Amino acid sequence: MNFSSKLLENAVSEFGKLPGIGQKTALRLVLHLLNQDDKDVERFTESLTLLKNNIKFCRKCHHLSDADYCEICASTKRNQKLICVVEDSRDVMAIENTQQYNGLYHVLNGLISPMDGVGPADLTINHLVQRVNEEEVDEVIFALSATMEGDTTLFYLHKKLQNPGVKISTLARGIAFGGEIEYADELTLGRSITTRVPYENTLNR
């Protein structure tokens, strides 16, 4: 693609680094910003700067938060004995949208993927084990995507969480293999949570 301006080319190149954004879409976004009022563009860039500089990870569950503890962990109305384990904050948002879950979360910030050089030590698994051992937890729900990486992570977590007093369950397979949590429709995801099954049952399939 030929650009009449180096500044335009640089901006398109940066937008093109975003996931799912091709060069044509990046150009369309940049041109859109150029046609906006200066104040609108300033608010846009300021919001990104504030986000990058001030966003935090909840000290308890690792979900994105404005404070040391996210609103979910800080709420007295949530079931403190129920932990739903997810890959990242997008999955927390997807599950919250179903309005079918009232417990806490634990965000792994990724999945075990040897091909990508991601091992257990790169995730928040040790903190999850600590939470299960030290807090009053009745059940841990594995809500990970039905992919090879998700299943690998599930199996590893099951081996690590050997606490006889804690029930280990996983989402019912309403989500097809290869499907990711964040893209599942709310009805399917909500049913998968409410009809969850013991993880041991899935090992016999």
Side-chain angles (χ1 to χ4, degrees):
M1 185 178 293
N2 295 321
F3 295 94
S4 59
S5 164
K6 190 66 177 178
L7 294 174
L8 177 63
E9 181 179 359
N10 290 340
V12 170
S13 176
E14 292 303 314
F15 270 86
K17 295 177 182 178
L18 296 172
I21 302 296
Q23 197 171 42
K24 289 184 178 180
T25 301
L27 176 60
R28 187 161 58 248
L29 292 172
V30 171
L31 293 178
H32 173 76
L33 286 176
L34 284 177
N35 290 324
Q36 301 305 299
D37 293 336
D38 289 346
K39 290 185 178 179
D40 291 334
V41 178
E42 288 175 4
R43 280 195 294 269
F44 176 76
T45 56
E46 182 182 4
S47 67
L48 293 179
T49 301
L50 289 173
L51 173 70
K52 183 62 177 176
N53 291 338
N54 298 312
I55 197 72
K56 298 180 179 180
F57 290 97
C58 176
R59 294 176 63 180
K60 186 170 186 176
C61 74
H62 303 278
H63 183 32
L64 293 173
S65 175
D66 292 339
D68 288 339
Y69 293 92
C70 69
E71 293 182 354
I72 295 174
C73 286
S75 174
T76 57
K77 298 180 180 179
R78 309 287 298 211
N79 183 347
Q80 304 289 319
K81 297 183 178 182
L82 189 60
I83 297 178
C84 183
V85 181
V86 298
E87 177 183 350
D88 57 35
S89 288
R90 292 172 297 180
D91 298 333
V92 173
M93 298 173 192
I95 293 173
E96 284 297 288
N97 285 337
T98 70
Q99 299 183 344
Q100 297 295 314
Y101 178 73
N102 192 45
L104 303 182
Y105 293 91
H106 188 90
V107 180
L108 296 175
N109 287 325
L111 296 174
I112 296 174
S113 178
M115 293 291 291
D116 297 320
V118 180
D122 299 309
L123 309 179
T124 62
I125 292 176
N126 287 337
H127 186 207
L128 172 62
V129 174
Q130 180 182 353
R131 287 182 66 185
V132 173
N133 289 336
E134 296 180 359
E135 299 176 15
E136 293 186 17
V137 178
D138 289 337
E139 182 181 359
V140 175
I141 305 170
F142 294 153
L144 303 181
S145 297
T147 60
M148 188 67 70
E149 293 80 10
D151 283 352
T152 299
T153 306
L154 283 175
F155 187 75
Y156 182 86
L157 289 174
H158 182 250
K159 292 295 185 181
K160 294 286 289 186
L161 298 175
Q162 295 298 321
N163 189 321
V166 178
K167 178 182 177 182
I168 303 295
S169 59
T170 187
L171 297 185
R173 285 300 191 186
I175 301 172
F177 186 80
E180 298 187 9
I181 297 295
E182 63 171 307
Y183 298 122
D185 65 89
E186 294 177 8
L187 181 60
T188 298
L189 183 55
R191 286 177 176 172
S192 295
I193 293 171
T194 56
T195 59
R196 60 187 181 271
V197 296
Y199 177 68
E200 289 84 354
N201 291 1
T202 66
L203 297 177
N204 298 326
R205 295 179 179 179

